[in-house]
């Protein structure tokens, strides 16, 4: 079982850190991987609820993430989706297209640099598969498979 912090490290290794993605709400650069409160098998930790399903996270800037979590605490299950839609629309409208475009250009340039750095590191690394790394790879593959199954069920393909 993967813990809260380990799950966020897994997200960073599978998807890159959230700062290289656009916020799911406003379109500016994200800061966090925000749990979307959508996993029936939600786990609890000292840091708060989380999921082992990698598809239950979206990149969000700190401001939108805090508003999203506040809405979850403030509204019941019936009202929550409507409030989230309203807040998401307001967050997007609060950012100008020019600012969003400039932020996107800067974020993409940083992302390219990060990907080149990762590729250079991997090219110089000796291929070594120890028992611990095999377990980590197997855990990551299991998380991805679980996310795929979760999405298939939501689409009604299960």
């Amino acid at each position: 079982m993967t813990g809260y912090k380990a799950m966020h490290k897994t997200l960073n290794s599978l998807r890159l850190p959230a700062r290289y993605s656009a916020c799911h709400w406003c379109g500016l650069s994200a800061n966090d991987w925000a749990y979307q409160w959508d996993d029936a098998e939600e786990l609890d930790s000292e840091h708060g609820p989380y999921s082992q399903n990698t598809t239950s996270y979206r990149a969000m800037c700190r401001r939108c993430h805090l508003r999203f979590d506040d809405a979850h605490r403030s509204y019941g299950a019936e009202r929550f989706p409507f409030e989230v839609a309203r807040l998401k629309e307001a967050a997007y409208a609060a950012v100008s297209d020019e600012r969003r475009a400039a932020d996107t250009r800067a974020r993409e340039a940083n992302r390219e640099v990060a990907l080149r750095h990762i590729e250079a590191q991997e090219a110089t690394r000796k291929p070594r598969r120890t028992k611990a790394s095999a377990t980590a790879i197997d855990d990551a593959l299991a998380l991805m498979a679980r996310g795929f199954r979760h999405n298939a069920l939501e689409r009604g393909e299960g």
Side-chain angles (χ1 to χ4, degrees):
M1 184 154 91
T2 305
Y4 180 92
K5 288 183 178 182
M7 188 62 214
H8 283 79
K9 284 183 182 180
T10 301
L11 286 166
N12 286 338
S13 66
L14 291 175
R15 298 186 183 175
L16 287 180
R19 69 178 171 266
Y20 298 117
S21 301
C23 175
H24 186 62
W25 280 16
C26 68
L28 296 178
S29 291
N31 302 89
D32 306 316
W33 289 112
Y35 173 54
Q36 299 295 296
W37 308 95
D38 62 353
D39 190 354
E41 298 177 26
E42 177 178 283
L43 301 169
D44 207 8
S45 78
E46 62 190 38
H47 303 287
Y50 72 102
S51 171
Q52 289 187 329
N53 186 344
T54 59
T55 63
S56 290
Y57 293 86
R58 298 280 183 272
M60 295 181 88
C61 69
R62 184 92 10 94
R63 181 178 179 201
C64 293
H65 186 178
L66 292 174
R67 288 181 178 180
F68 179 70
D69 287 349
D70 286 344
H72 184 266
R73 282 189 288 277
S74 300
Y75 300 100
E78 292 178 12
R79 189 77 191 135
F80 178 64
F82 299 106
E83 291 300 321
V84 165
R86 183 184 63 77
L87 290 169
K88 183 177 179 180
E89 186 176 315
Y92 191 83
V95 177
S96 70
D97 290 338
E98 294 82 18
R99 181 170 178 214
R100 199 175 290 112
D103 193 72
T104 299
R105 286 189 298 273
R107 184 178 54 252
E108 289 301 319
N110 291 337
R111 182 182 172 94
E112 289 299 318
V113 169
L115 289 172
R116 281 196 301 262
H117 178 72
I118 290 169
E119 288 171 358
Q121 281 184 327
E122 289 176 352
T124 60
R125 189 176 297 150
K126 288 183 180 179
R128 227 176 56 190
R129 188 166 175 168
T130 63
K131 185 175 180 178
S133 67
T135 303
I137 291 169
D138 294 341
D139 288 349
L141 292 173
L143 282 172
M144 288 188 287
R146 184 166 181 254
F148 178 79
R149 287 193 305 273
H150 176 77
N151 285 341
L153 289 172
E154 283 189 352
R155 289 190 305 261
E157 298 171 3

